[in-house]
Amino acid sequence: ALLLFAGFYFRRALPAIAALVAIMIASDWGLGTYEWQLAACVYASLAAAVGLGVWINRSVKTQSVRKMGWKQVGRFAFASLSMSTLFFVLTNGAVWCMGQWYASTWTGLVDCYLAGIPFYRATLLGDLFLTGVLVAGYGLVETVLIRSAADRRSELPSMA
């Protein structure tokens, strides 16, 4: 959700992707690493979240959350659901392809995805919630700052 929002907030994807790489390298170094195939899928799905944020930014034509309508809010919800689903599909597919935990059969593939459903549900809900908090929070801060600036302008002495 944070990367989706970063893709929206930054005018270009490069700063958001740089932030993604820095955060992931630091967390992987601190928490421990895992197989490169799985890591590649995690990084790819997170980069896709940045791409979805950039897509929203370009489709909205404004970075003002206050000026966005329901159509754009729907785009954030769609992007949030899409990135959660992509993460689920890619990472579970990578786990199955590595062949360490599930048999390399259709049954093993189904078992792998079925085992991931509780995590997928939590990811969906978490991403939707955090995306909503980030977008609404940004809109609230933007509204307060604009209102505060308007109040300061109204307190200035008139030049008439």
Side-chain angles (χ1 to χ4, degrees):
L2 183 57
L3 293 169
L4 172 65
F5 186 74
F8 167 76
Y9 180 76
F10 292 112
R11 293 197 188 279
R12 295 186 328 266
L14 191 58
I17 290 175
L20 156 70
V21 171
I23 290 167
M24 290 303 296
I25 288 173
S27 66
D28 286 348
W29 179 74
L31 297 173
T33 58
Y34 37 94
E35 290 82 2
W36 70 268
Q37 300 94 328
L38 184 57
C41 289
V42 168
Y43 281 57
S45 64
L46 295 176
V50 171
L52 287 166
V54 170
W55 167 71
I56 294 170
N57 181 309
R58 292 193 176 141
S59 67
V60 170
K61 305 289 189 229
T62 178
Q63 282 187 292
S64 173
V65 172
R66 291 179 329 104
K67 296 178 182 176
M68 289 194 312
W70 287 108
K71 185 176 182 181
Q72 287 77 19
V73 171
R75 286 187 176 137
F76 270 108
F78 170 77
S80 181
L81 294 171
S82 296
M83 68 183 193
S84 299
T85 301
L86 181 64
F87 183 85
F88 172 75
V89 169
L90 286 179
T91 57
N92 280 28
V95 166
W96 176 76
C97 283
M98 290 185 305
Q100 296 173 353
W101 295 311
Y102 298 95
S104 297
T105 62
W106 286 109
T107 303
L109 179 63
V110 170
D111 289 344
C112 180
Y113 280 103
L114 287 175
I117 288 175
F119 301 101
Y120 176 53
R121 186 178 313 124
T123 300
L124 277 173
L125 295 174
D127 285 343
L128 275 172
F129 175 75
L130 189 53
T131 298
V133 167
L134 289 170
V135 172
Y138 182 70
L140 180 64
V141 167
E142 185 180 41
T143 301
V144 168
L145 290 176
I146 289 171
R147 195 171 290 148
S148 174
D151 290 346
R152 281 195 304 272
R153 276 194 302 270
S154 69
E155 293 172 0
L156 293 175
S158 173
M159 299 299 233

